[in-house]
Amino acid sequence: MLSLIRSIFYTFLHAFHKRETQDYPEKMPYLPPRYRGRIILSRDPDGKERCVACNLCAAVCPVDCISLQAAEGDDGRRYPEFFRINFSRCIYCGLCEEACPTYAIQLIPDFEMADYNRQNMVYEKEHLLISGQGKYHGFNFYKEAGVNMGVKATGGGENENQPVDLKSLIH
Amino acid sequence: MAKIQIDGTFYEVKSEKNLLDNCLALGFDIPYFCFHPAMGSIGACRLCAVKKFANADDKRGRIVMSCMEPVVEGMIISTDDPDVKAFRESILEGLMANHPHDCPVCDEGGECHLQDMTVMTGHNYRRYTFKKRTHNNQYLGPYIKHEMNRCIQCYRCVRFYRNYAGGKDLNVFGSGNRVYFGRQQDGALESEFSGNLVEVCPTGVFTDKIFNKHYARKWDLAHTPSVCQQCSLGCNIIVSERYGMIRRVMNRYNGSVNGYFICDRGRFGHEFINSPDRIKKVHLRASKASELLEVDESCTLSDFMGKKVIGIGSPGASLESNFALLNLVGKENFSHGISEAEHKLTNQSIRLLQSRKVYSPSLKEIEKSDAILVLGEDIAKTAPMMALAVRQAARSESIKLGEKLGIPEWNDYAVRELDQNHQGPDFIVTPSATKIHELVEMAGQAFAKAENPLIITGISGGNEDILDACSTIADALKKQGKKLSVSIVFPECNSVGLALLDGLTLEETEERIDGRQKAEEKIDTVIILENDLYKRASKERIDAMLKKCRQVIVIDHLMNETARQADVLLPAAAFAESAGTVVNNEGRAQRFYSAVPLTGQLKPGWSWCNDQWENLDQVVNALVDAYPVFSAIKNQMPDADFRCSNEKIARQTMRSSGRTAMNANISVSEPKPPQDNDSPLAFSMEGYKGSPPSGLIPYYWSSGWNSVQATNKYLDEPDGHVRNGGDPGVRLFDDIDKE
Amino acid sequence: MKYVFIIAGVMIVVLTIAAGLIYVERRLLALFQDRRGPNRVGPFGVFQVVADMIKIFFKEDWVPPFADKAVFIMAPGILITSIFLTFAVIPFTDKFLVLDSNIGLLFFLGNSSLGVYSVVLGGWASNNKYSLLGAIRASAQMLTYEVFMGLSLVGVVMMADSFSLREIVEVQKNGWFVFPQFLGFMTFFIAGIAETHRAPFDIPEADGELVAGYHSEYSGMKFGMFFVGEYMGVTMISALITTLFFGGWLGPAFLPPAFWFFFKTGIFICLFILIRASLPRPRYDQLMEAGWKVLLPLVLLNILATGAILLLKHTT
């Protein structure tokens, strides 16, 4: 019985404590740089789209809110023909960023995406693509990958030998 | 049969098969690369290692390659010994040393045997830090893309291309670490089976260029079991769709028809569905002189029906579509739309096949024939997969020779060394050949010795005499107590099915339309169903015929010459957009299903031609009532109400992505998945995902097996028959035999 | 005519307090939980009540098709009526009361018993498992606590020698009954919480287990009646505690008697909210056990002691 009264008393004392409430719109909260907010698509150091349309982000997305179609340029370079994120479904889990093999898709500290019309929350590639490299600088997938897609010649990568000359007898 | 002990459990296994084959049949996940159930083993990749123990007391054992190991009674092996696992991992590490880092842009990614095996063996971290070997790629034509850096030197491609399919222009070059698979110089691959390299290659060296133009990952595609409509063999295929568009065609295993392979026509010939020439809307012509114009309103065929109507069906359309038209216009007004000669020959052929005299073999049975006579048909062109089967049958003598010397059939390289390209007795005779009698005589001698003699002929090059000759030979062989197999190649995918329905020839149709009859019998409307008549008779004849009709109604999917002559043009769903049944040359009725939900004004042919039936099952019921010869279709094919564990079978994989975004550009509210009233398959990722009945398998996948190698998980044994209902399709002529 | 004014006045006052409590409770809970509470609508969020009222009035008034329609509609009405009737006997001041009945206290007890019908019928008519479970719990709980609610007041009645609430207040001129009847006050207070099924005794509603219990199926203004009814119940119990134990309108004369009444009542309303913020819900069997095994003997003891002392005083 006494313990009950003590609880009531302690609760009453809380009336004089400091408020925990964040006064959000009046006072902006601090967001760390790796905060997982709005999703963007970044570009490689050459200024070209980093996304190679591998579909891994779409596959890993737990709410299936990413949809894209792969296409190939004349030089063989892959890019997404369209890239659509339905932010009204997105749960900002960041799995797409973890799955991305080219650092193309990144989550940035911006969460103010609410809208009165859900249709406005469907973002196409032109809304997602930024002009910079985002969080990861200097990475160019096609320099690392073993394929020639217009960025480096076959065998021209840092970790590659020159192509084998089959017509030669010398190894 | 032999009894062996695997991982401490005893199993009954087949002694004529190798150890790997048996283990895979029992469901063990043994990694492998170079072994292929249809091509046997050569022991090139060293991945399928298992441990073999000399006897029960032997605790150390020794590592052997299971694909090169014959099964011996009482043998003891272990598939998951730590030594074996370490060995496999080190082999894979070696194979991966030069493999490029390009899975994200590789078309094989997500259905890659190398990816599966890497995960299965547990090779996670790359230790090789030196530079990778690279190769220049070749241009291999419009269908196949070459990316040699990805090669792991399993030799499957050349073994298929040269040894199995008889191609000449793909070979292996170089030695040591520089082994190269390609052509002597850039150029299109010549073999009509080159597309199979995509499925045979365990990694992404050979990829599908057509698919690449509108690529989607395997897990994103919605797959539907279908039947190839390019020739009369009816190979089973999987048609895959994404975003409402047909993306690719892959082989669907049918142990009695096409096995693991399909020809390039079947694999790459589906692109007409995405063609700009597709008829997607109703077209009308206001008067004979005016233009054919698109109309937005929906309409039905009955809006245009005349008083006296004649319907022209097509051997290229499904049984249901033809029957619906027949039912609409009446038996006496239904035409097959084929020439008198073809009509007569087809009917005669079917009578021969239906008679008990000869046996109509499946492609798999053709492979087992030991004497083949090909009469007057260029099967490499008209039925390529039959030519491939004949090629396998030609090896029957060398396989027998090998068996005599104790070399099992699966030991592929040894058998091929043994025969030194010797081929068994098969003879190709064209009626124009001069020495025909001599050859037939030789064939007669070979037939007398053979156990499974086979005659192959066809409608396109054949004549009635050949069919009569078959009948005579069959009689002769019957006296020896043997049954002759006769396989007849028909011109189109449903020639046999159509011939089983009543109908007029093209010549009779012309006569009916000609107008020499009484006025009240004069034909005023002709309905042409998916049939380009200009390909069947001269332009003058067809022009004259169509001109006499007051109204020409064409139901078709492509804007061809006939369609351009139409007064009313109705858009028909192509084979990949509708469900139906076709009967192949063997008399096997097979069901195909729509891979894409229908949109807009598109309707299947049978739906245009009737108002009373709402789904395919009702058409089939009416068909069976009218023509009892098809009753096996109704009895043996699951109808649309069929359920697995109370669920429809999902066309999409459980990894299917983008569900909440793919239509979001149109409306952010997700639509209900399209309904399929014609089949037990669902246009959704929700539904049954296990092992459905054999004819309804939408795609091959098994835990840990994302590549086409998962096919074996759906078979009773590798290169065997489909589990859960046997090989798809119903043989119609067998039923008659039983009666 | 005068009665009409008084009745109208009482109703307006009660409804205003009850509606105001919607806002006050949320603000106070926030205060006790280090939050801010509603502060968006109007200065300090005071118009939150208006916003809530607008919402609740304009919500679709939906009767589930599987419900027993007549009873379903009747149930919240019973609650509101019974509570309103109770306020008829409460003396806000010696002048400002509707009915100075000589059986005022019995009238209150009778009416509060009627309240149980509303809950039981509401849960039954909803035709929903959770609602019915809530209703069953509510009936058992209210019946139990009614027993010693009545008994806890016997001491007061004995001391005041009257059932008239006005007279009970006037007797307290010599000293509030809370001191001699502390045990009675405590038990009445606990029974009062249980009677209005407020937290921690909100077992019939129990969001986490019963999805709002007997009023799961209610929406719109019918739910609003349950909602406001609960606050009216709180006001009623607080007013009765004030009347029976804390001298009603009595207080220093520099402020009007009505102020003292409402001031005291307000303190008890706040106490109700503070208890809600502090204490967790007991288990159902614990509640019943506490009622029958602890509180009932205590109340009987109180009656015995009071009677004995009064008898002693009388004889001496």
Side-chain angles (χ1 to χ4, degrees), chain C residues 52-288:
Chain C
D52 283 356
M53 298 277 261
I54 291 172
K55 188 196 97 175
I56 218 159
F57 273 115
F58 287 94
K59 233 176 167 178
E60 188 188 355
D61 201 358
W62 189 70
V63 180
F66 46 81
D68 183 338
K69 200 172 171 192
V71 182
F72 187 83
I73 293 169
M74 203 169 67
I78 296 176
L79 181 74
I80 294 288
T81 316
S82 70
I83 292 173
F84 263 132
L85 284 176
T86 315
F87 276 105
V89 294
I90 288 174
F92 293 86
T93 68
D94 52 349
K95 306 273 163 23
F96 191 67
L97 81 169
V98 180
L99 182 67
D100 182 12
S101 165
N102 58 356
I103 53 153
L105 199 56
L106 292 178
F107 185 77
F108 150 72
L109 287 171
N111 264 319
S112 72
S113 306
L114 276 180
V116 75
Y117 282 104
S118 125
V119 175
V120 171
L121 291 179
W124 172 259
S126 295
N127 213 347
N128 166 324
K129 284 181 213 117
Y130 295 114
S131 301
L132 186 62
L133 279 173
I136 292 167
R137 285 183 179 192
S139 56
Q141 176 181 333
M142 288 170 86
L143 287 174
T144 307
Y145 279 72
E146 214 136 75
V147 170
F148 58 85
M149 183 186 235
L151 290 176
S152 67
L153 298 178
V154 171
V156 173
V157 174
M158 277 154 77
M159 287 182 73
D161 222 0
S162 170
F163 279 116
S164 162
L165 290 170
R166 190 183 52 80
E167 280 174 23
I168 289 173
V169 175
E170 274 166 3
V171 171
Q172 292 181 63
K173 275 194 177 121
N174 305 323
W176 293 352
F177 281 157
V178 66
F179 303 112
Q181 286 296 322
F182 188 72
L183 214 52
F185 160 65
M186 285 306 290
T187 43
F188 180 76
F189 190 49
I190 292 170
I193 297 173
E195 193 65 14
T196 51
H197 32 84
R198 288 276 305 174
F201 295 148
D202 57 346
I203 288 169
E205 294 168 31
D207 282 347
E209 317 150 31
L210 292 183
V211 209
Y214 61 89
H215 59 59
S216 284
E217 298 290 350
Y218 281 88
S219 67
M221 201 46 217
K222 282 203 277 298
F223 166 74
M225 279 155 89
F226 276 124
F227 189 54
V228 172
E230 183 180 315
Y231 287 123
M232 283 166 65
V234 170
T235 317
M236 180 191 79
I237 298 292
S238 303
L240 271 168
I241 291 171
T242 310
T243 309
L244 296 170
F245 297 101
F246 289 85
W249 67 84
L250 299 174
F254 60 88
L255 281 168
F259 167 80
W260 290 114
F261 181 84
F262 287 115
F263 177 71
K264 290 173 193 171
T265 307
I267 285 176
F268 285 106
I269 290 173
C270 292
L271 192 58
F272 262 91
I273 293 166
L274 177 59
I275 288 172
R276 179 182 170 184
S278 320
L279 299 180
R281 193 186 299 140
R283 226 165 49 218
Y284 180 64
D285 62 315
Q286 289 170 334
L287 177 88
M288 300 303 278

Side-chain angles (χ1 to χ4, degrees), chain A residues 54 58-59 63-69 72 78 84 86 89 119 146-147 154 159 161 163-166 168, chain B residues 102 104-105 107 132 134-135 149 178 180 212 215 217 243 247 655 657-662 664-665 668 670:
Chain A
C54 71
V63 290
D64 288 344
C65 75
I66 304 178
S67 138
L68 68 153
Q69 172 60 50
E72 254 184 36
R78 291 247 189 149
R84 187 179 304 131
N86 181 354
R89 287 282 185 187
Q119 192 64 51
V147 283
T154 302
N159 264 320
N161 282 319
V164 170
D165 180 7
L166 284 171
S168 133
Chain B
D102 65 352
V105 292
D107 283 357
K132 290 179 183 177
T134 61
H135 280 298
N149 287 352
R178 314 190 308 157
Y180 187 87
N212 180 266
Y215 181 72
R217 293 283 182 209
Y243 302 138
R247 296 303 174 100
R655 262 273 178 233
S657 77
R659 191 162 49 131
T660 65
M662 58 170 71
N665 56 332
V668 73
E670 285 118 38

